[in-house]
Amino acid sequence: MNAIEVSHISKTYGGKVTTPLHHREGLGGGSVRALDDVSFSVSKGEVFGLIGPDGAGKTTMFRILCSLLLPETGTAAVDGFDVVSQMREVRCRVGYMPGKFSLYQDLTVEENLKFFATLFGTTVEAGYDSIRAIYSQIERFRDRKAGALSGGMKQKLALSCALVHSPSVLFLDEPTTGVDPVSRKELWEMLLSLKERGITIVASTPYLDEVRCCERVAFLDHGRIRGVGTPDAILDEFRDIFNPPGIEKAVTGSQHTRQENVIEVEHLVKAFGTFHAVDDISFSVRRGEIFGFLGANGAGKTTAMHMLTGLNQPTSGTGTVCGFDIRTQHEQIKKHIGYMSQRFSLYEDLTVAENIRLFAGIYGMKDEEIREKTDELLRRLQFTDHKDTLVRSLPLGWKQKLAFSVSIFHEPGVVFLDEPTGGVDPATRRQFWELIYDAARRGITVFVTTHYMDEAEYCDRISIMVDGKISALGTPDELKARFRQPDMDHVFTYLARQAKRD
């Protein structure tokens, strides 16, 4: 008997679908065919990948298999139990780790674990053997609130919560989004150890190295299964989607403007009590440069960015952004920069045009200029017919392009991008980087953090933070040569594994 049997499952949101592709993208009518006649099976003890582009239907499939969502047609069984008629039995046998970790940020590590144990009618003590190998790595932080944990520690806690009741099947919906490469590797080492205990694992991921950790994968696209097979076979057959051509690296900015520094930092420190989140860093960034700001979770990147964007004050040291002092002129800095986070920074309940106008007004642009540039932007993005569409109904890739375009609408000197492509499929990430290159050619400095090491190769220069300090700074080629590593993934891993603080 297979661990999972899915037979002709379909699911539609919002009523009858009349034009599947149109409604799949959420551009009118309110109907989305999330799953369309999906069938596949997973063997007991198998590590199985459910992969596909954004909006393919992966999360809907996970929720149906965990008995959290009812299918319209078809059947599905987990460990021989029907997900509709025997949902109680199913829920006792599955562990589910959704995206964003599903933790309660204001509860401590121990309180989160006890809460999830109670949900499944067990105790931490009774289930400790099931989580010992993973939980023992974070147990000394049992009194720390989950919201104060690094990404890698949250990941281990969430996995412990999903395993505390000793499930036979584990579902993981992009569990490593927003997590650094070293922590991602550690998670997959843990998952492979769970396989040795006979646990069946079904995971979705946008990272190709993680796809290759699976024994088989199902490629889901626009709600339909397009192929099931080994990772190498599927990635090769659909290489136009999973391995789009790389971006040809071009010189960004003009020779004249690139001589001017728009960010200058000297001996910057940010301390929280005796803990130095940022510990004496110095660097500069030139106009029109694409500057990669890398580091493992907890290395100090976000704290440093908060100081540069005027959201936090340094403990000591100096810095300027666009010529303004980060200590005394943070309000002026905010007017001369753009910012985009992984959450896209858009208002979901406003239309495309309303979002553009709102942010343009915040940046102090005049009404006439807003009208002219809005029309120009809508034409450039081919959004003219969708200017009155609510942002929440746009496909993920469209949201991403709009959010970036809004962040540089006022032509800032610098745009800060905080993991803007987290969880996004390769083809969409490539399109986004084309927008970045275009902005840099116009003289806008791009200051970007990312956990995708192929994106690090696209940067002009890179800094890598370890334990609050900058451990390396240079072009990708310089860093690979200096540390004698074949690519930026190996460079990052080599440096990040030297971290000493928790």
Side-chain angles (χ1 to χ4, degrees), residues 308-321:
L308 294 177
T309 55
L311 298 175
N312 212 332
Q313 296 298 298
T315 302
S316 62
T318 61
T320 59
V321 175

Side-chain angles (χ1 to χ4, degrees), residues 355-366 370 374 406 409-410:
N355 266 279
I356 295 172
R357 181 171 181 80
L358 172 65
F359 285 98
I362 290 173
Y363 287 122
M365 297 177 64
K366 304 293 185 184
I370 293 174
T374 296
V406 166
F409 192 69
H410 59 303

Side-chain angles (χ1 to χ4, degrees), residues 60-75:
T60 297
M61 191 74 255
F62 277 118
R63 292 177 64 80
I64 287 174
L65 291 174
C66 291
S67 77
L68 300 174
L69 193 65
L70 296 176
E72 287 171 4
T73 61
T75 61

